[in-house]
Amino acid sequence: MSDTHLDSAVQGVLQDVMAAEYPVLLDTFLTDSEERLRLLHAAERAADAQALRLAAHSFKGSCSNMGAPLLAELCWRLEEAARREQLQDAAELIEQIEREFAIVRILFRAERQRFRF
């Protein structure tokens, strides 16, 4: 895995803790992240700073827990912009989040392939 996009130490701990359920965790993160992206877009389109802040905060937490630090950082930046109700940069931040998630998704799918029977 690319240490630039994923923290290998966090991944190792998750694998140890989750054991046989680790592939399920990867699948769940990927599925949930798609929904979180949908919520970010909906909140941005509605210019709903509170919904955007909450969605970004939630996504940030899951990214952090899964060891995706760059993705978590981008979500934090969006959360802070929404907290300050500075939504003019929201679309650009969401685009950056989508690009980073695309990379993380590829890495997690590759990781998931190691557990196929």
Side-chain angles (χ1 to χ4, degrees):
M1 276 187 253
S2 170
D3 285 338
T4 303
H5 301 283
L6 296 178
D7 184 328
S8 59
V10 172
Q11 294 302 300
V13 170
L14 289 173
Q15 287 177 38
D16 290 345
V17 170
M18 297 300 294
E21 294 300 310
Y22 179 65
V24 175
L25 178 66
L26 294 174
D27 291 341
T28 301
F29 173 76
L30 293 174
T31 301
D32 287 352
S33 295
E34 296 289 343
E35 176 62 14
R36 292 175 198 279
L37 284 169
R38 189 192 67 71
L39 292 172
L40 290 177
H41 280 287
E44 190 268 331
R45 278 191 306 273
D48 185 339
Q50 177 69 357
L52 189 59
R53 185 185 66 76
L54 292 172
H57 177 79
S58 179
F59 199 11
K60 175 190 73 179
S62 66
C63 294
S64 183
N65 290 339
M66 291 298 293
L70 294 177
L71 193 52
E73 168 71 20
L74 290 167
C75 290
W76 176 81
R77 288 169 44 195
L78 181 60
E79 178 186 5
E80 286 301 301
R83 184 183 58 75
R84 292 187 310 273
E85 296 189 5
Q86 296 175 339
L87 301 184
Q88 65 274 12
D89 297 328
E92 171 64 26
L93 283 167
I94 291 169
E95 184 178 313
Q96 290 176 22
I97 288 168
E98 284 187 313
R99 284 194 306 263
E100 180 61 20
F101 177 66
I103 294 167
V104 168
R105 178 179 28 223
I106 289 166
L107 294 171
F108 275 151
R109 284 181 177 164
E111 176 71 359
R112 179 65 175 91
Q113 290 299 315
R114 293 187 328 117
F115 295 92
R116 296 232 186 261
F117 299 108

